[in-house]
Amino acid sequence: MHRPRVYVTRQIFPDALDLIEKSAGLEVWPDDEPPTPEKLQEALADVDGALINVMDRIDVPLLDAAPNLKVLSQVAVGLDNIDLPEATKRGILVGYTPGVLAKATADLAFALLLAAARRVVESDKWVREGNWKISHHPMFWLGSEVNGSTLGIIGLGGIGLETAKRGLGFDMKIIYHSRTRKPDLEAEYGFEYAEPDRVLAESDFLSLHVPLTPETHHYIGEKQLKKMKPTAILVNMSRGPVVDTGALYKALTKGWIAGAGLDVFDPEPIPADHPILRLDNVVVLPHIGSASIRSRREMCLLAARNLLAGLKGERLEQCANPELYESLGI
Ligand code: DGY
């Protein structure tokens, strides 16, 4: 019987690799640095399946060079690195990992929100640099109150919903905009649906949870930032290009908004000398939204199961192009 060949483009949790190895011949990219497009193309040239990372660009030249590929299994919820229509056209199933990472990512959205609101990073640095000379002063280190404020959510998918639920724990009013309105969630949690302009204008904290698509590229630009409150804080846990970085820099330096918490950047990694990193009113993280041990392990295991299901000609637990099932007869 044909033993399928699989390429895994990063080191992942060993139990996920073990699972794959039981049913397939396995090769793993050995370095922490991602493979170049040429190396990736070479690695995927003869394989039946690949377990891939958000930074691996899966485009037409790569797909042309990988004629045996039956399944691509992404260890992430975002799919903006994959030319999904092209994969679908070629009958390649694409797996991904929504759900298992939503709670961990929402936890970190709240960490950014709280850190930016209460100036956690800025004051930590100030203490460590030896600046704390006066023990307490009523007017020092004032920040924004989180409890009782309004949290705006753009994109009420799995992560947006978990972030909104955390807001309820802080007695926040939740307003949201999403591609599809969610009357069941409005009824269950008291969320209020609003058009984007109202969400921008009324939010004390605005948290972005939309996928990166041509429609959401620079969804937040100068025009949108100018509609926000000068006291507002923007949190981006989605993808860097959802926000126009130049416009955000202007907004943060000209006082159109008060601060930002950013886990994602455009470009990524953000160069260390980028002017936005010099601003005290910005809290930054290196794209680690889902990086809890539990979530990342579950993501790797789910991605491994998706991969194996696709290789066996079965339905995936989480499939981004289930419209293929009919033509593949599964
Ligand atoms: C995702 O799941 O899309 C994250 O950005 C990667 O962990």
Side-chain angles (χ1 to χ4, degrees):
M1 208 184 87
H2 169 70
R3 188 167 160 83
R5 293 187 56 196
V6 160
Y7 201 88
V8 177
T9 66
R10 295 298 182 286
Q11 291 294 341
I12 57 170
F13 279 74
D15 38 357
L17 287 178
D18 290 347
L19 193 66
I20 298 170
E21 216 161 17
K22 280 187 189 140
S23 314
L26 174 65
E27 246 188 283
V28 183
W29 176 252
D31 303 333
D32 290 336
E33 285 294 323
T36 60
E38 296 72 34
K39 289 277 176 206
L40 188 65
Q41 198 162 308
E42 220 174 275
L44 268 50
D46 313 309
V47 297
D48 302 283
L51 195 141
I52 55 171
N53 182 270
V54 281
M55 302 314 279
D56 300 326
R57 185 134 302 281
I58 307 294
D59 52 14
V60 170
L62 182 133
L63 292 169
D64 280 345
N68 301 335
L69 210 52
K70 289 176 196 58
V71 55
L72 280 165
S73 182
Q74 166 110 319
V75 194
V77 63
L79 294 163
D80 45 282
N81 56 315
I82 301 174
D83 189 333
L84 190 58
E86 277 295 329
T88 307
K89 214 163 82 186
R90 291 152 200 256
I92 300 169
L93 290 166
V94 176
Y96 69 140
T97 64
V100 292
L101 50 65
K103 288 182 164 55
T105 308
D107 288 348
L108 208 66
F110 243 81
L112 278 178
L113 185 156
L114 286 164
R118 299 299 303 273
R119 307 173 67 185
V120 173
V121 176
E122 200 188 341
S123 54
D124 172 288
K125 186 166 158 257
W126 186 82
V127 173
R128 289 171 197 272
E129 284 173 354
N131 298 308
W132 194 14
K133 309 279 193 233
I134 299 165
S135 71
H136 188 270
H137 191 291
M139 298 307 289
F140 278 8
W141 286 106
L142 304 181
S144 318
E145 184 108 350
V146 173
N147 71 82
S149 62
T150 297
L151 172 60
I153 301 281
I154 301 284
L156 197 66
I159 300 169
L161 171 61
E162 288 299 330
T163 305
K165 280 161 66 179
R166 279 148 186 72
L168 295 178
F170 281 81
D171 295 329
M172 295 170 100
K173 174 183 166 182
I174 312 294
I175 55 174
Y176 80 97
H177 183 79
S178 214
R179 243 179 334 190
T180 43
R181 195 169 166 172
K182 315 270 166 81
D184 49 335
L185 296 178
E186 290 171 33
E188 187 173 353
Y189 296 110
F191 301 158
E192 205 179 305
Y193 174 83
E195 288 307 316
D197 278 359
R198 219 190 105 211
V199 179
L200 291 169
E202 292 185 15
S203 297
D204 297 303
F205 299 91
L206 182 70
S207 199
L208 305 175
H209 300 286
V210 289
L212 176 61
T213 64
E215 292 74 42
T216 61
H217 184 265
H218 286 189
Y219 186 92
I220 300 292
E222 270 200 42
K223 207 167 111 212
Q224 290 71 27
L225 289 158
K226 281 182 172 159
K227 288 181 180 158
M228 292 175 69
K229 294 182 183 180
T231 50
I233 286 170
L234 176 73
V235 174
N236 189 10
M237 298 284 294
S238 59
R239 286 289 183 268
V242 169
V243 176
D244 175 345
T245 311
L248 178 61
Y249 180 79
K250 251 193 196 172
L252 290 162
T253 49
K254 290 181 184 293
W256 302 345
I257 66 171
L262 307 171
D263 182 44
V264 287
F265 296 87
D266 180 19
E268 215 167 273
I270 185 98
D273 61 353
H274 194 287
I276 208 158
L277 298 181
R278 288 201 292 272
L279 303 181
D280 285 333
N281 53 349
V282 181
V283 179
V284 297
L285 294 174
H287 198 150
I288 55 170
S290 60
S292 73
I293 296 167
R294 186 166 69 194
S295 270
R296 283 284 166 88
R297 181 168 171 267
E298 285 182 11
M299 288 164 72
C300 291
L301 287 168
L302 173 55
R305 294 195 302 273
N306 279 337
L307 180 73
L308 294 177
L311 291 173
K312 284 188 206 141
E314 293 168 3
R315 291 188 175 209
L316 279 51
E317 269 173 63
Q318 295 290 351
C319 184
N321 52 0
E323 64 273 26
L324 274 181
Y325 289 157
E326 205 183 317
S327 56
L328 294 174
I330 55 178

